[in-house]
Amino acid sequence: MSVKMYMQQVGQQARKASRILARASTQDKNAALMAMAVALDNARPQLKLANKKDMDAGNQKGLSPALLDRLLLDDKKISSMIEGLTQVANLVDPIGEITDMAYRPSGIQIGKMRVPLGVIGIIYESRPNVTIDAASLCLKSGNATVLRGGSEAYHSNQAIAEAIVVGLNKVGFPEHAVQIVNTTDREAVGEMISMPDYIDVIVPRGGKGLIERISKDAKVPVIKHLDGNCHVYIDDEADVEKALTIAINAKTRRYGVCNAMESLLVHADIADQVLPRLVREFVSKGVELVGCESSQQYSNEIGLAIEDDWYTEYLAPKLSIKLVSGIDEAMEHINKYGSHHTDAIISQNYTKTRIFMTEVDSSSVMVNASTAFADGFEYGFGAEIGISTDKIHVRGPVGLLGLTSQKFVVLGDGHIRDN
Amino acid sequence: MSVKMYMQQVGQQARKASRILARASTQDKNAALMAMAVALDNARPQLKLANKKDMDAGNQKGLSPALLDRLLLDDKKISSMIEGLTQVANLVDPIGEITDMAYRPSGIQIGKMRVPLGVIGIIYESRPNVTIDAASLCLKSGNATVLRGGSEAYHSNQAIAEAIVVGLNKVGFPEHAVQIVNTTDREAVGEMISMPDYIDVIVPRGGKGLIERISKDAKVPVIKHLDGNCHVYIDDEADVEKALTIAINAKTRRYGVCNAMESLLVHADIADQVLPRLVREFVSKGVELVGCESSQQYSNEIGLAIEDDWYTEYLAPKLSIKLVSGIDEAMEHINKYGSHHTDAIISQNYTKTRIFMTEVDSSSVMVNASTAFADGFEYGFGAEIGISTDKIHVRGPVGLLGLTSQKFVVLGDGHIRDN
């Protein structure tokens, strides 16, 4: 069978399964998730064996240590997948909730009912644990899933798929409720993003290159996460101690995450109080610093930033620093160079925090808090399928609700429209 | 200047204007809308003169009477545009509303703030009043607008544009907050739907052909409305009088609207009570009837339906009728042939109404009410920019909220993430 025909078949099967999942009870969905957890636990030896094949091939291909680390499926990661399944089973089921039900002058009642999107396509790279994360969130929200993992994780993903099928069988869900694409042919991705009849939305997970490519070519809506070029602006009316604590946390808690601060903006009038201390702390943690010329007068540890630095999400122990004349210049800089992900102001001034909160056009805007909080767990979603830097459909961390839509329900008792 | 360069310039200007509109006060937005209303009222002679040019050209080109009727801008239609502006000015401004603000265990507070999408592109056909409808809703929701009307309405739209500019000037909004594309070159549409950097969402208004073409080629998200192939299912446990009233209203209130019933499903056990009376009523109103073979035994006024009829949105005094064995067959038919727009069940049975409401996958699902209610005004939105038959971003009638997004706001007081 050609890749195109195979993907069409996967899509048709997913659409069919989605109709059954859409009306599945919460009890059945949770039972399936818990059965998957048990199946994963029972399959530890097989999972590790399958993963070893991928790891061996990866080693031979000379994958980077970082990639191999993501690819590895050890007992700790398996346990974490099992825990994830339990957490998703414990989440409140959003499907079927009716809100805003109210009478209209015509006498009808109208409200909104939360419904699944239908079929979610997930395209991801080498991390096999995404398979379970994504499948469980999609299942809980009543969606069928088509998963296309990286070719490096092929055997691991197929082994995980077997545990998923055990869970689906347990409650009589169709096996096509979660399908893992079984070809590593790149054409499969091209097909997947061109089947609006069968796939309602694509969620790509991975590097910016992958996501840009997919967004550019997709004929299906894409919930996408591009960069997290996050800023912290320390205002001249900031509480200095809070500013230092937050800036250090935002940069050094973890370096490779999208909610890490990549650019620090400091009001020139407070620079002498915060910059020398911050620089000492950053340098002691091995953070490389580049900055504007004015910032350099506060430390000779700051290299000169070039224009490109302001646009860059380092995802590494590196930080760009810029002195600004006030909140307006800070916001202008953020709206120009930022990625509309997460940006914070540190200030005790009421008016300035209010302006910043309203006018900074980012998916998360923070006041006197670390950008590190931008995360589905921290926001109380229980889990996230990604972070959207788009504005359409869903913005910021995407939990179960992002995988749903709402339809209108209208209740009458013989009502007709007479105008 | 090439069309491409011109459209890029329009896009850049819109993006720039959108930043200013996003933080405009409700007071200013309303003042601009009211100033537009006054300007339109003052410009009645010029509007009618410009429209005459379009009408003359349309007559010469041999446009159909229906098209010419849509194109016509008489005093009644101008008054209706003015009234529309007043209504939109009176709507509650959704921008800036913060909801769901709650403390998290970490001590941060998190909520969602409603924000504009940015730049909305509207592509429409010959009705010049769409220019004002769309511009006013986009402005009220803090978005910049790029409007591309049909070439038939070119002069009318340019005249309306002048009134819009008067309104924008009144409160010092940038003139590029609402731009009407001033070329009738078709390439302009192609450019408009391919500028994701400058346009955040496209709302096409017009026939299915236009909308399908745009959706297929767009590189920008599209809020689209395809067919309204709406069904009414009369259950065997329906209240007969309510069923008759609703079916007649749903079909005959207006024929050319997307929320009109196009297909009537009748439980076989109640057919003898409802069909003969319905047929008499429909025939007296000049509605052409086609149906399945079983339906034909109830009247010789019912022609034989072909497979295509079940898929067809007639937008005309024509109706397809099918007898079904129960709610399951009815729902199967609706989910297969319907367009996921609006579908209704007429039944007194609690369980069946509950199942229908949950399992029918349409943007509006109605119980014992006429499909004619599927409308932004009836739903209490005050106005609608269209009806979405999609599930992504917004579904059903699209009011101001559909032109907005939500960002997260996080309030801390020196909070950092320690996990």
Side-chain angles (χ1 to χ4, degrees), chain A residues 11 29 37 296 306 331 339 344:
Chain A
K29 290 188 283 191
Q296 291 184 303
I306 58 168
M331 294 196 306
S339 62

Side-chain angles (χ1 to χ4, degrees), chain B residues 186-237:
Chain B
R186 285 194 145 224
E187 200 192 328
V189 172
E191 286 302 319
M192 204 170 147
I193 63 176
S194 314
M195 310 194 296
D197 286 347
Y198 302 129
I199 294 189
D200 295 289
V201 67
I202 295 280
V203 185
R205 295 269 303 253
K208 195 179 174 184
L210 171 81
I211 293 170
E212 280 183 334
R213 247 181 357 259
I214 286 170
S215 307
K216 204 177 136 281
D217 297 333
K219 296 283 174 195
V220 175
V222 177
I223 295 178
K224 66 172 170 292
H225 172 276
L226 293 172
D227 335 30
N229 183 12
C230 304
H231 297 75
V232 173
Y233 163 59
I234 301 180
D235 184 49
D236 58 331
E237 296 179 73

Side-chain angles (χ1 to χ4, degrees), chain B residues 327-347:
Chain B
I327 185 178
D328 286 335
E329 193 185 343
M331 293 196 305
E332 210 170 285
H333 182 97
I334 291 169
N335 284 333
K336 176 171 177 190
Y337 294 102
S339 61
H340 309 285
H341 189 297
T342 300
D343 300 288
I345 182 173
I346 317 300
S347 178

Side-chain angles (χ1 to χ4, degrees), chain A residues 121-136:
Chain A
I122 315 272
I123 299 170
Y124 53 110
E125 293 178 328
S126 52
R127 291 195 299 172
N129 54 312
V130 170
T131 309
I132 280 290
D133 289 358
S136 59

Side-chain angles (χ1 to χ4, degrees), chain A residues 253 360 393 407 413 419, chain B residues 242 253 360 363 393 407 419:
Chain A
R253 178 183 154 271
V360 169
H393 188 63
K407 71 182 179 191
D413 201 0
N419 59 343
Chain B
K242 288 175 188 165
R253 179 184 154 269
V360 169
S363 71
H393 187 63
K407 70 182 179 190
N419 60 344

Side-chain angles (χ1 to χ4, degrees), chain B residues 101 118 164 279 318:
Chain B
M101 186 63 98
I164 290 175
V279 168
K318 186 171 179 183

Side-chain angles (χ1 to χ4, degrees), chain A residues 15 19 22-23 96 98 101 104-106 108 110 112-113 115-118 200-201 215-219 221 223 242 245-247 249-250 253-254 259 335 340 348 354 356-370 372-375 377-381 390-397 401 404-419, chain B residues 15 19 22-23 96 98 101 104-106 108 110 112-113 115-118 200-201 215-219 221 223 242 245-247 249-250 253-254 259 335 340 348 354 356-370 372-375 377-381 390-397 401 404-419:
Chain A
R15 175 64 72 216
R19 302 230 167 81
R23 52 176 192 261
I98 298 180
M101 186 65 97
R104 295 288 310 148
S106 60
I108 59 170
I110 159 158
K112 291 190 230 177
M113 180 188 276
V115 294
L117 287 176
D200 294 289
V201 67
S215 307
K216 204 178 137 280
D217 296 333
K219 296 284 177 197
I223 295 177
K242 288 173 188 165
T245 318
I246 289 171
N249 182 256
R253 178 183 154 271
R254 283 173 69 190
N259 57 23
N335 284 333
H340 308 286
Q348 294 298 111
R354 193 162 175 262
F356 190 91
M357 198 163 79
T358 303
E359 297 189 11
V360 169
D361 180 28
S362 299
S363 71
S364 288
V365 181
M366 308 211 164
V367 177
N368 293 322
S370 169
F373 283 114
D375 173 284
F377 285 96
E378 292 296 325
Y379 285 8
F381 303 164
D390 279 331
K391 290 187 191 176
I392 298 295
H393 188 63
V394 64
R395 204 174 181 199
L401 285 192
T404 67
S405 182
Q406 287 181 305
K407 71 182 179 191
F408 289 101
V409 290
V410 175
L411 305 184
D413 201 0
H415 289 75
I416 60 168
R417 187 166 168 192
D418 52 13
N419 59 343
Chain B
R15 175 63 72 215
R19 303 229 167 82
R23 52 176 191 260
I98 298 180
M101 186 63 98
R104 296 287 310 146
S106 61
I108 58 170
I110 158 162
K112 291 191 230 175
M113 180 188 276
V115 294
L117 287 177
D200 295 289
V201 67
S215 307
K216 204 177 136 281
D217 297 333
K219 296 283 174 195
I223 295 178
K242 288 175 188 165
T245 318
I246 289 171
N249 182 257
R253 179 184 154 269
R254 283 173 69 190
N259 57 21
N335 284 333
H340 309 285
Q348 293 299 110
R354 193 163 176 260
F356 191 92
M357 198 164 78
T358 303
E359 296 189 10
V360 169
D361 180 28
S362 300
S363 71
S364 287
V365 181
M366 308 210 165
V367 178
N368 293 322
S370 168
F373 283 114
D375 173 282
F377 284 96
E378 291 296 326
Y379 284 9
F381 303 164
D390 278 331
K391 290 188 190 176
I392 298 295
H393 187 63
V394 63
R395 206 175 179 198
L401 285 192
T404 67
S405 182
Q406 288 180 306
K407 70 182 179 190
F408 290 101
V409 289
V410 175
L411 304 183
D413 200 1
H415 288 76
I416 60 168
R417 187 166 168 193
D418 53 12
N419 60 344

Side-chain angles (χ1 to χ4, degrees), chain B residues 13-14 16-36 93 95 135-145 163-179:
Chain B
Q13 289 164 346
K16 211 170 149 195
S18 75
R19 303 229 167 82
I20 295 164
L21 275 192
R23 52 176 191 260
S25 71
T26 306
Q27 195 174 17
D28 280 352
K29 290 188 284 191
N30 291 347
L33 293 169
M34 294 315 295
M36 286 176 200
D93 187 347
I95 298 305
S136 59
L137 285 169
C138 293
L139 182 72
K140 181 78 183 223
S141 52
N143 294 288
T145 326
I164 290 175
V165 168
V166 169
L168 296 172
N169 284 338
K170 178 87 177 184
V171 294
F173 284 164
E175 290 199 5
H176 299 133
V178 181
Q179 291 176 89

